[in-house]
Amino acid sequence: MESVVLVRYGEIGLKGKNRPAFENRLVQNLRRALGPEIEASVRREHGRIVVDFGGREAPRQAIDRLRSVFGVVSISPAKAAPLSLDEALAGARLLVEEKLQATKGPVRFKVEAKRSNKQFPLTSPELNGRFGGYLLRAFPRLEVDVHAPDFVLHVEVREKAIYLYTEILPGPGGLPVGSSSEGLLLLSGGIDSPVAGWLAMKRGIRLRAIHFHSFPFTSDRSKEKVIDLAGVLSRYSFEPIPVYVVNFTPAQTAIRQHVPPAMTITVMRRMMLRIASRIAAQHGIPALITGESVGQVASQTLESMAAINEVTSMPILRPLVAMDKGEIVELAQQIGTYDLSVLPYPDCCTLFVPDRPETRPRIERVRAAEADMPIDELVDEAVATVDVVEPVLEPSLSL
Ligand code: ATP
Ligand code: MG
C-alpha cells in the first residue's frame, strides 16, 4: 500500500492555454517545499497532483509544508491501493484503525465512494455498501451516520489506483509563486509591507525585496530585522527572497538640507521609488509592491500617492490598499511576521517624520521643494552601492 498526498488546486484550472505552465509550476513548487531530503515523486494526474511517498508514511512536516504552498486548495493524506476490492478494503481497515486510536466509545462514520474509472466493476453505491459493511464488521465501535458523521471515509476509484482518505486539509489557495512574473517589494520593518508581500506572492508573484537603510541613523539591528522578515516570507516560496539593501543616508541627508519639513516624507518616498524603479528595471522586474493603505498616514492620502507616483511609470501594486489596520495586523499574526515587525528598531522613516507632514502635497510644490537636490547623482550612487543580502532559509526538514 502506497502512502500519498492528494493535492487539489482550483483557480489554475481556469487558465485555459496557460494551464500546463501553471500546473508545472505548482509541481515544481511542491517539490521544492518538500526539500531534497524527502524521497517522493510528484506527478500530475487528471486535474490533481499526487505526491507519492512510496511505501513510507508521509511525514507530518511534509504534509504541513505541502498544504502551505500557494495554489493549493486542499490536500488529503491518503493510501493508494491497487485496483482490487480486497486490497482497498484492507487499506481502509488500516486507515480506520489509525483513526480510532485517538478515541474511545462509539464513533459515527460514513463512506463516500466516487468511481471515475468506469472499468471498475462496482458502482459508487455498491462501493459504499461494501466498505461500510466491511468496516462495521471489523470495528464494533463504528456506527453509520450519514447526516452527522465523526469522519467520512472517501474512496476514489481512479485509473490506476483506489485512493482512501478521511482528511481534507485546506491550503492557502491563490496561484503558484512564479506563475505571475516577479515584483520588487519595498520592505520596511513595519507591519504592513511584509503582509503586502505575502498577498502578492499569493497571486503567484515571485518576490525580491528592497530596503532603504540609513546607517548610522538606523541601527544594523533594524536591517537584520528586515532580512529576517524576508526570511519569514521565504517560507512561503521555499526559496530565499533576496533583499537589495540601499544606503539611503546620502539621500536622507540631502533631503534634510534642501526640503522644507512638511514635504520631507513626500520627497523621501519619491527618492525611494526612483531608486526602486531603477533597480527593478535593471533586473527586468516589471512592478513594484508597497504596503500602503489609503488614509493610514499622511503620505497615504490619494494626493500624496499621486505626488509620490509621479516619479515612476512602473505599476505599483498596493495589495493592502483597502484593508483596515486591524485586518492587516491579524494577517501579519497568521503569516508569522507580526512578532518581528513590532520589535522596536526605528526605521529611516519613523526617524524623520516631521511634526506636521503635508497631507495634500501639490505636485508643483513638491517639484520645487526638491529642485535643489542632486537627484540623478543620488539615485546613481544609491544604485551603485546596493548590497544584496539573502536570508537564511529555515533548516530543512529533519527526519
Ligand atoms: P510599513 O508597516 O510597511 O512600514 P507604514 O504603515 O509604516 O508601512 P509608511 O512608513 O508610510 O507606512 O511606508 C509606506 C510603504 O513604503 C511601506 O509599506 C513600504 O512598502 C515602503 N517603505 C517605507 N519605508 C521603507 C524602507 N525603509 N525600506 C523599504 N520600503 C519602505
Ligand atoms: Mg513604516
Side-chain angles (χ1 to χ4, degrees), residues 186-188 190-193 210-212 269 272 290-292 296-297 299-300 325 347-349:
L186 279 76
L187 184 59
S188 72
I191 294 172
D192 302 331
S193 41
I210 183 168
H211 177 63
F212 298 90
R269 292 269 180 263
M272 284 185 181
T290 74
E292 290 163 299
Q296 211 186 73
V297 289
S299 60
Q300 298 178 18
K325 193 72 186 186
D347 182 42
C348 59
C349 310

Side-chain angles (χ1 to χ4, degrees), residues 7-10 26 30 66-67 69-75 170-174:
V7 179
R8 303 177 193 86
Y9 46 85
L26 184 56
L30 290 166
L66 291 172
R67 68 182 287 206
V69 173
F70 289 127
V72 172
V73 170
S74 68
I75 69 167

